[in-house]
């Protein structure tokens, strides 16, 4: 089902009609299919696109996909990038082409999207206690013997609710689960103590609807995280896995799962997971970084492990939000026609990078420009000199936090360096 359904799904996306639902697309493209518009290879700046328009760099995406594939291979890691970042089947397909084991999800709705496009291996990084979602999962697992899903458990009550819902649904296959080890007191979800982990393992041994296959967690939630603290937590995760294996908790498994690794500490994950000793079954060392595919210009640019390991490469920011100067009320102030509805702002305001002249299309660095505030549909720009901007100019904004950038745009132009639009990335939030 997987490859065939994914190919069919991508074909269906290309057959979707362009209309008023999609921001910034050329009005004269109304009625064309997305594939037909992409085939025209229009230019982002003079091809009829309206502002604001979010552009995704084709070259940067390709570079980032290849870099993380190489990194995972070099360090003996399997890779299930977190799909909640982009929720874009076209990018899932590219991630799988670049060697991903599967795709990570956060909630059952995301799993439904993935399954609609034939994703066969899904890591659900959350405990699922909704009986409706569990009934759906049971049916999906029963209908497709090749579908593999792994999800978290972190409480006795959660196990009780999952077991009850799956039994009532008549589940024919157990749901594979990993115990989520919490990152410490005051962190997010997950079991806080080793004793509680053992208690959950005992409970799972008595639940036929659930099968314990490993341990997992999210190291970025370690309070006041430093390399030393993150490494210590990862070693605790590994030690629990080894202890469970010695106790026969993973008997008769084809593989044992150990998973961690967001976008800020995957170097520590690679280092500690390399220390995992030989266990009773092969170990699936599963990394889940998601922000890498687009990277960003602020938050993850500061946090990426490649800053610590430059010899391994560097990710490239892929997003540019092009907005237009629509008001210049004073020499010190200008306003762009992009705001909170268009730009992520939860991890920092946009940063002006390039100004494109509204008169002749020439580009220059956005020196002296600062975004000071966002309204719903306006960016407030502070200017150092009266001649920095004029009404009609285009300004390219660098953005922070891929997860909240993608979710504001349903159809995103994929753009080559010269401005040629080669495709459109469809998102499902």
């Amino acid at each position: 089902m997987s490859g065939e359904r994914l190919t069919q799904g991508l074909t269906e996306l290309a057959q979707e009609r362009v209309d008023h639902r999609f921001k910034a697309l050329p009005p004269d493209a109304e009625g064309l299919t997305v594939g037909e518009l992409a085939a025209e290879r229009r230019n982002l700046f003079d091809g009829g696109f309206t502002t604001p328009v979010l552009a995704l760099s084709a070259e940067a995406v390709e570079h980032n996909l290849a870099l993380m594939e190489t990194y995972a291979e070099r360090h003996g890691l399997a890779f299930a990038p977190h799909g909640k970042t982009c929720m874009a089947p076209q990018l899932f397909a590219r991630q799988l082409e670049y060697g991903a084991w599967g795709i990570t999800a956060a909630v059952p709705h995301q799993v439904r999207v993935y399954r609609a496009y034939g994703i066969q291996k899904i890591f659900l990084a959350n405990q699922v206690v909704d009986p409706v979602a569990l009934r759906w999962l049971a049916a999906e697992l029963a209908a497709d013997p090749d579908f593999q899903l792994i999800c978290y458990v972190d409480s006795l009550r959660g196990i009780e609710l999952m077991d009850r819902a799956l039994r009532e649904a008549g589940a024919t296959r157990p749901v594979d689960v990993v115990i989520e080890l919490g990152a410490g007191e005051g962190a997010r979800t997950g079991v806080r103590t080793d004793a509680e982990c053992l208690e959950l393992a005992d409970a799972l041994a008595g639940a036929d609807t659930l099968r314990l296959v490993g341990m997992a967690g999210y190291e970025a939630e370690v309070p006041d995280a430093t390399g030393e603290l993150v490494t210590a937590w990862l070693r605790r995760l590994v030690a629990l896995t080894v202890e469970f294996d010695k106790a026969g908790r993973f008997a008769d498994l084809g593989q044992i799962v150990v998973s961690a690794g967001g976008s800020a500490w995957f170097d520590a994950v690679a280092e500690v997971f390399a220390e995992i000793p030989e266990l009773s079954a092969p170990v699936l060392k599963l990394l889940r970084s998601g922000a890498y595919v687009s990277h960003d210009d602020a938050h993850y640019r500061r946090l990426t492990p490649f800053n610590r390991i430059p010899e391994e490469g560097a990710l490239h920011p892929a997003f540019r939000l092009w907005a237009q100067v629509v008001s210049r009320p004073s020499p010190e102030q200008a306003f762009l026609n992009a705001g909170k509805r268009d730009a992520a702002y939860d991890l920092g305001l946009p940063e002006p990078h390039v100004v494109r002249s509204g008169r002749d299309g020439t580009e220059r660095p956005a020196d002296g420009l600062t975004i000071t505030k966002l309204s719903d549909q306006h960016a407030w720009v502070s200017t150092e000199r009266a001649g920095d901007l004029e009404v009609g100019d285009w300004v390219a904004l660098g953005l922070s936090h891929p997860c909240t950038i993608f979710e504001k745009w349903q159809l995103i132009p994929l753009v080559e360096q010269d401005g040629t639009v080669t495709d459109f990335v469809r998102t499902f939030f």
Side-chain angles (χ1 to χ4, degrees):
M1 170 185 174
S2 57
E4 187 177 309
R5 180 66 192 99
L6 184 54
T7 300
Q8 179 187 344
L10 298 183
T11 299
E12 291 169 358
L13 289 179
Q15 293 170 345
E16 193 167 13
R17 295 288 172 181
V18 173
D19 58 25
H20 61 278
R21 293 171 295 162
F22 305 121
K23 295 191 289 187
L25 297 195
D28 67 352
E30 179 97 13
L32 294 178
T33 67
V34 171
E36 289 168 344
L37 179 57
E40 292 183 357
R41 295 179 63 84
R42 298 194 188 194
N43 188 276
L44 188 72
F45 305 107
D46 60 17
F49 292 86
T50 63
T51 56
V53 56
L54 182 68
L56 191 60
S57 164
E59 293 88 355
V61 167
E62 202 74 16
H63 168 85
N64 294 342
L65 288 166
L67 180 63
M68 285 304 290
E69 178 187 35
T70 300
Y71 183 85
E73 287 180 349
R74 183 182 298 128
H75 293 280
L77 300 169
F79 192 28
H82 211 318
K84 57 95 177 173
T85 298
C86 63
M87 289 305 295
Q90 289 145 293
L91 294 180
F92 298 162
R94 300 309 315 281
Q95 289 169 319
L96 293 170
E97 287 172 15
Y98 275 89
W101 168 88
I103 307 293
T104 295
V107 292
H109 160 72
Q110 293 166 359
V111 177
R112 288 190 62 202
V113 174
Y114 300 2
R115 290 298 291 159
Y117 287 86
I119 304 300
Q120 289 294 86
K121 294 180 179 179
I122 299 173
F123 188 95
L124 177 50
N126 229 330
Q127 183 169 248
V128 182
V129 296
D130 177 356
V132 175
L134 289 163
R135 283 198 299 271
W136 177 82
L137 280 175
E140 200 73 7
L141 287 163
D144 184 357
D146 295 324
F147 172 38
Q148 183 175 354
L149 177 115
I150 302 168
C151 77
Y152 280 175
V153 295
D154 84 342
S155 65
L156 290 174
R157 175 62 171 160
I159 291 171
E160 177 190 349
L161 290 170
M162 294 176 76
D163 180 51
R164 179 190 303 164
L166 291 167
R167 281 190 287 105
E168 290 176 353
T172 57
R173 290 175 59 192
V175 173
D176 287 346
V177 298
V178 289
I179 294 172
E180 182 192 5
L181 178 65
E185 291 302 323
R188 200 168 63 187
T189 55
V191 179
R192 296 302 195 251
T193 68
D194 293 6
E196 289 174 295
C197 288
L198 291 168
E199 194 176 27
L200 295 192
D202 286 340
L204 288 167
D208 292 340
T209 59
L210 303 170
R211 182 175 69 157
L212 179 62
V213 298
M215 296 287 299
Y218 182 44
E219 73 292 335
E221 282 294 315
V222 170
D224 303 314
T226 63
E228 185 178 353
L229 290 174
V230 166
T231 297
W233 178 84
L234 286 163
R235 289 202 168 115
R236 183 176 164 219
L237 179 73
V238 168
L240 275 166
T241 306
V242 172
E243 180 182 340
F244 279 12
D245 188 52
K246 286 180 179 176
R249 301 284 189 181
F250 305 130
D252 303 321
L253 292 182
Q255 65 182 9
I256 298 167
V257 179
V258 184
S259 180
S263 296
W265 293 103
F266 54 74
D267 57 334
V269 173
E271 178 185 344
V272 174
F273 280 11
E275 302 169 358
I276 296 175
E278 186 174 342
L279 301 182
S280 62
V283 179
L284 183 72
K285 304 172 184 178
L286 198 59
L287 185 68
R288 306 193 307 270
S289 312
Y292 82 99
V293 69
S294 65
H295 200 41
D296 73 9
D297 277 295
H299 183 72
Y300 283 108
R301 194 170 199 166
R302 290 190 296 269
L303 292 183
T304 177
F306 287 117
N307 293 335
R308 296 186 290 270
I309 47 172
E311 68 278 6
E312 301 242 30
L315 294 168
H316 295 171
F319 278 123
R320 274 188 171 174
L321 177 62
W322 287 95
Q324 212 164 4
V325 181
V326 293
S327 181
R328 192 75 164 89
S330 75
E332 299 81 23
Q333 197 171 38
F335 289 87
L336 309 180
N337 62 347
K340 293 179 180 178
R341 302 296 177 88
D342 313 295
Y345 56 94
D346 57 317
L347 292 178
L349 291 172
E351 301 175 355
H353 285 177
V354 175
V355 176
R356 183 181 177 87
S357 170
R359 295 180 183 271
D360 59 17
T362 56
E363 295 185 1
R364 63 184 186 275
D367 296 335
L369 305 183
T370 305
I371 304 297
T372 60
K373 178 181 175 180
L374 292 180
S375 301
D376 281 352
Q377 306 289 179
H378 291 92
W380 299 52
V381 185
S382 171
T383 63
E384 292 183 0
R385 295 174 296 275
D388 284 342
L389 287 178
E390 68 174 345
V391 171
D393 286 346
W394 291 44
V395 180
L397 302 175
L399 303 174
S400 183
H401 197 190
C403 300
T404 50
I405 301 168
F406 274 108
E407 74 177 19
K408 294 179 181 294
W409 294 81
Q410 288 184 294
L411 202 59
I412 305 169
L414 190 67
V415 184
E416 293 181 341
Q417 191 169 4
D418 65 358
T420 302
V421 177
T422 61
D423 204 353
F424 296 86
V425 174
R426 183 72 156 93
T427 66
F428 292 87
F429 286 95

